[in-house]
Amino acid sequence: MRATVALLSSACLALASAGNLMERTNVTKSGHPSTSTSSSYSLNKEFSGETFFDGFNFATYSDPTHGAVDYVDYGTAEGSGLINVTNEGQIYMGADHTTTNAWDGRQSVRLESKTTYSEGLFVIDLEHMPTGCATWPAFWLVGPSWPSGGEIDIIEGVDD
């Protein structure tokens, strides 16, 4: 699944995996259930600090949910102050909050991981998640052909 992150102020995003991440029950040839578990995890990938954005593509397509947003590329996001890495290594992502009458939608960022995952334990460390009018901070896992492939909403905070 592809992890998609939008509008998050994040210190760290990490992926850990193990042979079996959850308890799984399989039916054996004899028809009896067989349960297996795994409790050991190892860190496979970490997105943090100065290299955080290296692991993601910046979406620049029209919003598939038809929201009033204009997703921008890395250069535009950095130049407009929509993304930043602080001196302490914290990641800032946000939407344009200065433009008035943004008829084509407010500039914002939508990140999609460059790597796809078929399983994993995803850990995100947030200090702040945006709130207020016109915000939709989210951390999703999506199938290969979203939206028809489905999604898992890990964090989704929609302002109404």
Side-chain angles (χ1 to χ4, degrees), residues 41-159:
Y41 297 92
S42 62
L43 181 64
N44 289 356
K45 189 79 171 171
E46 180 177 341
F47 302 94
S48 63
E50 290 293 327
T51 61
F52 178 86
F53 295 108
D54 295 347
F56 298 92
N57 293 315
F58 281 69
T60 56
Y61 48 77
S62 297
D63 182 34
T65 63
H66 310 291
V69 64
D70 175 23
Y71 294 126
V72 297
D73 60 35
Y74 176 86
T76 303
E78 185 177 44
S80 301
L82 302 180
I83 61 169
N84 184 38
V85 179
T86 69
N87 291 336
E88 295 80 28
Q90 290 187 307
I91 307 304
Y92 169 81
M93 288 184 273
D96 172 20
H97 56 84
T98 59
T99 303
T100 56
N101 299 324
W103 301 112
D104 293 330
R106 280 199 191 282
Q107 289 189 338
S108 187
V109 293
R110 180 180 180 129
L111 304 182
E112 298 176 350
S113 63
K114 292 179 179 178
T115 305
T116 58
Y117 304 94
S118 59
E119 63 180 14
L121 171 64
F122 300 89
V123 178
I124 188 165
D125 178 10
L126 295 175
E127 184 172 305
H128 171 74
M129 190 167 86
T131 60
C133 182
T135 61
W136 195 323
F139 177 50
W140 305 333
L141 301 178
V142 299
S145 58
W146 184 85
S148 61
E151 73 185 44
I152 299 171
D153 298 340
I154 296 172
I155 300 172
E156 187 165 14
V158 179
D159 177 70

Side-chain angles (χ1 to χ4, degrees), residues 6 17 23 47 77 130:
S17 68
E23 182 174 90
F47 302 94

Side-chain angles (χ1 to χ4, degrees), residues 9-23:
S9 175
S10 171
C12 177
L13 173 64
L15 166 69
S17 68
N20 296 305
L21 295 177
M22 298 178 283
E23 182 174 90

